[in-house]
Amino acid sequence: MMLAIIIPYYKLTFFEETLNSLSNQTDKRFKVYIGDDASPENPLVLLEKFNEEFEYQYFKFDTNEGGISLVNQWHRCIDLANEDWIMILGDDDILSPNLVEDFYKNLPEIESCKSNVVRFSTKIIDSSGKLISDTYNHPKTERVIEFLCRKFSKQTRSSLSEHIFKRAVVVEKRFRNFPLAWHSDDMAVIDFSESNKIYSISSSCVSVRVSEISLTGDEQFMKVKNEATFQFCDVLFKEYAASFSKIQKKIILKKLEMAYFNIPSFTNYLVISSYYCNSIGLVDGFKFQFRLFKVFIVSVLEKLQLLGLVQKVFF
């Protein structure tokens, strides 16, 4: 057995649907590792229903780590497994029945391509399981920077659940610990690929759930998510800028700029200005300054207008 499916468990709401999708796999050459993050929602009664359906190991941790660091929770769940390949599956996401079978069918080619990262097609479902997106497919092999630019240009999407990683690389490099683990999955694809191409399988799919109880669907964390986006793009430029073309740098800087406008600070201003001037050129640096000036003027005018309304009301 070469594949471990690791579930960092916390919420019971959609967990049975996730387990059903594992039970329905046409190829059962996998072992499931469930790392309970000290959840108040005990899944043991539910798990008993699947005792004869697939092999699994359940471990309940004494402390809640995900509330402090999702990445640390992932790591301690990964440490439960020792298979060659690992998938980290959300406790509310669903695999198509042929996913494991397709992985093994493609494994000889995956290994011949020396790919450390395997990716499946995805679609988005809501809390009722209703499809709310088209299916996102990918080129059979793709350089990770090209994928990232497609994602930043809103031509595709990604999350952690649809990936299978070579475990040895994950153990060696580990996930980066961004706030809320936001973009930690994107960074992992870059780090773990080790300049090799991502291998994609389009004949099977992962349904990724976005609901009111999921982190992706929760708007209250937008400021933290923007901080994580800024940190992620900053790391990209510090460590991988030599791999980007000028056009790719512009795409990533646009993402960095959007995050900056949501969390402006003088330190972040210096960071983004230096990237524009040093990586793209002075002209684009001046254009950024002009956009920044326009945002400032609009903000001032809005405040003055608000002040005028207040004066009318109270004076």
Side-chain angles (χ1 to χ4, degrees), residues 23-294:
S23 176
N24 292 332
Q25 290 301 304
T26 55
D27 189 330
K28 297 292 179 66
R29 286 179 291 171
F30 62 89
K31 183 174 180 179
V32 179
Y33 295 86
I34 302 161
D36 187 329
D37 194 19
S39 171
E41 300 176 2
N42 191 329
L44 287 177
V45 173
L46 174 61
L47 285 170
E48 287 178 3
K49 294 172 57 176
F50 296 90
N51 284 344
E52 306 300 323
E53 300 298 319
F54 52 82
E55 185 179 357
Y56 71 85
Q57 177 181 317
Y58 171 80
F59 186 87
K60 180 159 188 173
F61 297 107
D62 293 331
T63 58
N64 174 265
E65 192 66 37
I68 303 169
S69 168
L70 279 174
V71 165
N72 288 346
Q73 164 66 351
W74 296 348
H75 283 157
R76 65 180 182 176
C77 291
I78 290 167
D79 291 340
L80 298 173
N82 56 14
E83 282 73 11
D84 296 331
W85 294 86
I86 62 172
M87 167 183 270
I88 304 173
L89 180 64
D91 61 10
D92 56 356
D93 297 332
I94 299 172
L95 307 185
S96 64
N98 59 325
L99 186 140
V100 174
E101 180 181 349
D102 283 347
F103 168 70
Y104 282 110
K105 282 181 179 177
N106 286 273
L107 188 56
E109 188 173 0
I110 293 167
E111 293 180 331
S112 69
C113 293
K114 298 181 179 179
S115 294
N116 299 327
V117 179
V118 180
R119 171 182 58 188
F120 294 89
S121 298
T122 62
K123 55 188 178 183
I124 308 299
I125 58 175
D126 64 13
S127 57
S128 65
K130 180 182 177 181
L131 183 64
I132 56 175
S133 79
D134 295 328
T135 299
Y136 292 86
N137 294 313
H138 308 282
K140 188 171 186 178
T141 60
E142 184 177 31
R143 294 194 180 281
V144 67
I145 300 303
E146 293 168 355
F147 152 69
L148 191 63
C149 289
R150 283 200 302 121
K151 182 175 181 179
F152 280 1
S153 300
K154 299 188 182 301
Q155 298 173 29
T156 190
R157 65 156 303 282
S158 71
S159 55
L160 184 59
S161 288
E162 69 265 21
H163 293 91
I164 292 179
F165 302 111
K166 187 167 283 188
R167 183 182 179 277
V169 178
V170 178
V171 170
E172 176 190 351
K173 295 185 176 293
R174 314 293 275 179
F175 285 89
R176 308 267 190 142
N177 203 350
F178 297 125
L180 299 176
W182 202 247
H183 290 298
S184 292
D185 54 340
D186 294 321
M187 196 77 246
V189 171
I190 297 170
D191 288 338
F192 299 165
S193 66
E194 295 186 315
S195 300
N196 296 319
K197 291 183 178 180
I198 307 167
Y199 187 96
S200 296
I201 300 173
S202 297
S203 52
S204 45
C205 184
V206 178
S207 296
V208 178
R209 195 183 303 271
V210 175
S211 69
E212 62 280 358
I213 65 171
S214 66
L215 182 61
T216 302
D218 197 330
E219 295 297 321
Q220 68 172 313
F221 295 115
M222 285 306 300
K223 181 178 179 181
V224 181
K225 291 176 183 178
N226 279 301
E227 290 171 352
T229 298
F230 196 93
Q231 290 180 28
F232 168 58
C233 293
D234 190 25
V235 171
L236 284 181
F237 267 88
K238 285 178 179 175
E239 299 185 20
Y240 289 99
S243 303
F244 306 151
S245 67
K246 188 172 182 179
I247 293 175
Q248 290 169 337
K249 288 178 182 177
K250 284 186 176 183
I251 291 171
I252 295 168
L253 273 172
K254 284 291 184 184
K255 187 74 171 179
L256 186 65
E257 184 177 327
M258 289 173 60
Y260 165 75
F261 283 135
N262 286 307
I263 48 164
S265 73
F266 184 65
T267 300
N268 290 346
Y269 163 76
L270 293 176
V271 169
I272 195 169
S273 295
S274 68
Y275 286 146
Y276 265 113
C277 294
N278 297 330
S279 298
I280 307 297
L282 290 175
V283 173
D284 286 279
F286 285 134
K287 288 180 180 178
F288 164 66
Q289 303 294 337
F290 182 67
R291 289 193 294 273
L292 184 63
F293 178 72
K294 286 200 299 184

